[in-house]
């Protein structure tokens, strides 16, 4: 091992550290996009707390934005899968009330997280 | 009639060795797609350092083509990934070797040993593969999250194969020297 080796290894390690910081730090999302049916019905910033009612096939789904997160708080569906999705806060997170045709998706400035890795 | 030169035999021998290592390695389980030790690069490095970059390129090309024929991935995505990785790694090795040629005149302590060369080649290998994967095979921004862990694995394996290369080179130097093992000479 020479000095140049150590320098090369140190530079590579630093670059990898930087790459981890860029891609793996949890990314706060900027906005929530709300869809009803096939249409985009709203886009709200996550830094302002508010309640939103979204009109769907069965009735109104209630969404709540609070401290940079968003969730379904009520929906006129039988199984409440959307409510069980809980709070969403990372860019790329999604929740949907399929019976009511309402879905939300968080978007941020950075790349969305990987959905899955297959071999 | 084409004649077979000693150089051809040399390259064929090294390539056969590299293919054997490649095939054995492809049977190893891996926690992440794309992560493997890359021990065949020991052969590439040794050929580069002892016989120059032309021979190293020939051995690498033969290894990829023959290795993929044996494992059944010829012209499959993995084959193109291997090509992209090998191209980038060879480019890094060529750069490192020319840096060493210049550096040797100035200060020997700042030249790259096989460990440094192997580290840089391994990183370049991942970057080349990743560039191809990102632009052609899986053009999705989320793929970027795979890069840092792959780079980390390749840093570790690059250092490891570099150390292995150094050991093999030392053994080869011993085997070649008649003063060290006179009993072997007949």
């Amino acid at each position: 091992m020479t000095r140049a080796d150590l320098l090369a290894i140190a530079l590579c390690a630093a670059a990898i550290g930087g790459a981890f910081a860029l891609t793996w730090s949890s990314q706060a999302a900027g906005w929530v996009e709300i869809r009803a049916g096939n249409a985009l019905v709203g886009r709200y910033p996550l830094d302002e707390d508010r309640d939103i009612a979204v009109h769907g096939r069965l009735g109104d789904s209630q969404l709540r934005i609070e401290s940079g997160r968003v969730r379904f708080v009520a929906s006129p569906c039988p199984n409440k899968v959307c409510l069980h999705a809980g709070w969403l806060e990372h860019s790329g997170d999604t929740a949907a009330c399929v019976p009511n045709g309402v879905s939300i998706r968080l978007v941020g400035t950075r790349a969305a997280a990987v959905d899955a890795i297959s071999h | 009639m084409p004649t077979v030169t000693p150089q051809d035999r040399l390259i064929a021998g090294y390539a056969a060795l590299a293919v054997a290592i490649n095939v054995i390695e492809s049977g190893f389980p891996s926690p992440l797609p794309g992560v493997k030790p890359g021990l065949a690069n020991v052969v590439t490095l040794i050929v580069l350092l002892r016989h120059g970059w032309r021979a190293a390129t020939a051995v690498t090309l033969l290894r990829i083509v023959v290795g993929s024929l044996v494992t059944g991935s010829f012209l499959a995505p993995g084959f193109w990934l291997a090509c992209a990785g090998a191209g980038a790694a060879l480019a890094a090795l060529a750069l490192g070797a020319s840096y060493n040629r210049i550096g040797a005149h100035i200060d020997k302590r700042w030249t790259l040993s096989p460990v440094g060369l192997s580290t840089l080649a391994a990183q370049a290998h991942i970057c080349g593969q990743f560039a191809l994967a990102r632009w052609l095979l899986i053009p999705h921004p989320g793929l970027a999250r795979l890069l840092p862990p792959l780079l980390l694995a390749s840093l570790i394996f690059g250092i490891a194969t570099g150390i292995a290369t150094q050991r093999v080179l030392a053994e080869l130097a011993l085997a070649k020297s008649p003063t060290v093992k006179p009993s072997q000479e007949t």
Side-chain angles (χ1 to χ4, degrees):
Chain A
M1 293 266 265
T2 64
R3 289 180 190 188
D5 289 347
L6 293 176
L7 181 69
I9 292 167
L11 284 178
C12 290
I16 294 168
F20 265 112
L22 271 177
T23 55
W24 283 83
S25 55
S26 71
Q27 314 155 28
W31 295 275
V32 55
E33 280 182 356
I34 303 167
R35 285 171 186 276
N38 286 325
L40 185 67
V41 296
R43 185 179 158 96
Y44 298 90
L46 289 179
D47 51 7
E48 289 165 39
D49 294 357
R50 73 173 88 209
D51 284 343
I52 305 157
V54 186
H55 193 66
R57 274 196 295 269
L58 306 176
D60 281 0
S61 289
Q62 297 290 332
L63 302 174
R64 177 165 297 154
I65 298 176
E66 196 180 290
S67 47
R69 308 176 301 170
V70 61
R71 69 166 299 158
F72 278 88
V73 288
S75 204
C77 51
N79 296 327
K80 310 295 180 201
V81 174
C82 49
L83 269 74
H84 291 304
W87 289 104
L88 311 181
E89 54 185 321
H90 298 302
S91 171
D93 285 354
T94 55
C97 180
V98 177
N100 203 23
V102 173
S103 69
I104 57 175
R105 176 167 187 266
L106 300 198
V107 290
T109 45
R110 295 226 208 98
V114 173
D115 288 338
I117 295 172
S118 133
H119 203 163
Chain B
M1 190 183 151
T3 50
V4 179
T5 64
Q7 175 83 353
D8 293 341
R9 290 185 210 280
L10 195 75
I11 286 172
Y14 276 122
L17 194 59
V19 167
I21 294 171
N22 219 7
V23 170
I24 291 167
E25 211 177 57
S26 71
F28 276 50
S30 164
L32 247 187
V35 173
K36 59 178 202 161
L39 283 172
N41 293 317
V42 172
V43 179
T44 308
L45 255 177
I46 288 170
V47 176
L48 176 84
L49 294 173
R50 286 166 68 98
H51 306 287
W53 68 270
R54 279 169 201 278
T57 307
V59 168
T60 304
L61 274 176
L62 281 170
R63 165 172 67 79
I64 294 170
V65 173
V66 179
S68 71
L69 284 173
V70 174
T71 56
S73 64
F74 184 58
L75 300 186
F79 170 80
W80 299 112
L81 285 174
C83 288
L90 283 172
L93 285 175
L95 278 177
S98 34
Y99 163 80
N100 274 354
R101 260 198 302 283
I102 301 163
H105 298 299
I106 302 162
D107 189 344
K108 276 263 179 195
R109 288 172 302 177
W110 283 99
T111 57
L112 290 160
S113 79
V115 179
L117 286 173
S118 167
T119 304
L120 293 178
Q123 300 281 289
H125 192 277
I126 290 290
C127 291
Q129 285 192 319
F130 189 82
L132 181 72
R134 176 66 182 79
W135 297 119
L136 282 176
L137 301 178
I138 313 166
H140 186 279
L143 199 67
R145 301 192 105 198
L146 258 179
L147 185 58
L150 288 176
L151 280 174
L152 183 64
S154 92
L155 179 69
I156 294 163
F157 286 132
I159 295 170
T161 50
I163 291 168
T165 306
Q166 223 162 23
R167 295 288 291 273
V168 174
L169 281 171
E171 291 288 321
L172 283 173
L174 279 181
K176 265 189 119 178
S177 157
T179 52
V180 177
K181 286 183 180 173
S183 57
Q184 302 270 313
E185 300 286 312
T186 46

